[in-house]
Amino acid sequence: GAVVSQHPSRVICKSGTSVKIECRSLDFQATTMFWYRQFPKKSLMLMATSNEGSKATYEQGVEKDKFLINHASLTLSTLTVTSAHPEDSSFYICSAKDRAGLNSPLHFGNGTRLTVT
Amino acid sequence: QKEVEQNSGPLSVPEGAIASLNCTYSDRGSQSFFWYRQYSGKSPELIMSIYSNGDKEDGRFTAQLNKASQYVSLLIRDSQPSDSATYLCAVISSNDYKLSFGAGTTVTVRA
């Protein structure tokens, strides 16, 4: 099946610093990747849609200047949490579709657990 | 009304029994439905997709879809302790084709 690799799996940072999370599609090209956030015992919430070669599309309520997304190639999207604060502590998960088609399922990376102290 | 609704559980079943999970959705035009399994601390894993009314079987899993009732379910037969996880129902919106998730149902299989 499709493999989406995410790195790092866990990161602890101090308040005010920035953290970069990488998401790679290993065996397919992904023109679009999706970034989700999940708080404990809550469901996944879509943060933004990452588009290769163009600007990301952010969901309502998600600050684009705080969550910087770059999708420079067909296999790599990055999410940078800038000036992180404790309330940004969460589980961040990227995903992609392994084939064209608006109704295709998403495959998820292993997630990044961010803890801001 | 939430776009995708599930019973949060927890659902506890004995080993070998059938676990039945339900999901309703609000977007009548949705055409694509998925079940994901998420172990604690891990990311979701796709286990079933269903696009047409009726049943779809894959191993011990059976997904059932009824578009008229806007209802999709998942049956897990011969439940095993390794099936203990949170099961997420997901639906693709007919408007913007984004994937929306239910809150998940936590299943515990008792050995």
Side-chain angles (χ1 to χ4, degrees):
Chain A
V3 178
V4 178
S5 175
Q6 190 172 340
H7 179 80
S9 58
R10 187 180 296 270
V11 59
I12 301 173
C13 71
K14 292 186 177 181
S15 186
T17 61
S18 296
V19 175
K20 179 185 283 189
I21 302 170
E22 292 188 349
C23 180
R24 296 181 184 273
S25 55
L26 296 186
D27 53 359
F28 63 98
Q29 293 182 330
T31 57
T32 304
M33 292 185 178
F34 304 87
W35 287 94
Y36 286 81
R37 178 167 58 181
Q38 186 177 35
F39 291 106
K41 300 192 183 301
K42 300 293 184 182
S43 191
L44 285 79
M45 297 300 296
L46 179 64
M47 297 176 65
T49 302
S50 172
N51 304 298
E52 187 268 335
S54 64
K55 291 182 179 180
T57 304
Y58 291 82
E59 295 302 298
Q60 190 173 10
V62 178
E63 299 176 57
K64 63 179 181 180
D65 293 331
K66 179 167 188 62
F67 299 100
L68 300 179
I69 292 174
N70 183 278
H71 195 154
S73 76
L74 287 172
T75 59
L76 174 64
S77 174
T78 61
L79 167 67
T80 301
V81 183
T82 63
S83 185
H85 291 284
E87 58 264 31
D88 298 324
S89 298
S90 187
F91 191 44
Y92 293 86
I93 319 173
C94 71
S95 62
K97 297 184 178 184
D98 66 347
R99 60 184 187 271
L102 295 172
N103 290 301
S104 300
L106 291 178
H107 297 275
F108 288 88
N110 290 330
T112 298
R113 187 161 303 282
L114 171 64
T115 302
V116 184
T117 60
Chain B
Q1 182 187 6
K2 293 182 180 178
E3 294 181 31
V4 183
E5 296 207 50
Q6 296 179 248
N7 292 329
S8 61
L11 175 64
S12 180
V13 298
E15 185 174 359
I18 296 176
S20 177
L21 296 87
N22 303 318
C23 173
T24 58
Y25 59 95
S26 61
D27 183 353
R28 183 169 289 278
S30 291
Q31 299 295 319
S32 304
F33 309 88
F34 310 98
W35 283 98
Y36 287 83
R37 177 177 62 198
Q38 186 174 25
Y39 291 112
S40 180
K42 304 295 184 182
S43 65
E45 172 192 10
L46 179 68
I47 55 173
M48 288 287 285
S49 59
I50 186 166
Y51 304 95
S52 303
N53 280 329
D55 295 359
K56 179 181 178 182
E57 186 174 317
D58 184 358
R60 295 186 295 109
F61 298 102
T62 299
Q64 299 173 317
L65 174 61
N66 184 324
K67 291 182 182 179
S69 300
Q70 295 176 236
Y71 172 92
V72 58
S73 66
L74 180 70
L75 299 177
I76 307 173
R77 292 184 302 280
D78 188 23
S79 296
Q80 302 297 309
S82 59
D83 295 326
S84 298
T86 296
Y87 290 81
L88 302 168
C89 174
V91 179
I92 290 184
S93 165
S94 64
N95 178 39
D96 56 17
Y97 296 96
K98 292 178 181 176
L99 191 62
S100 294
F101 287 86
T105 298
T106 300
V107 174
T108 301
V109 181
R110 309 187 304 271

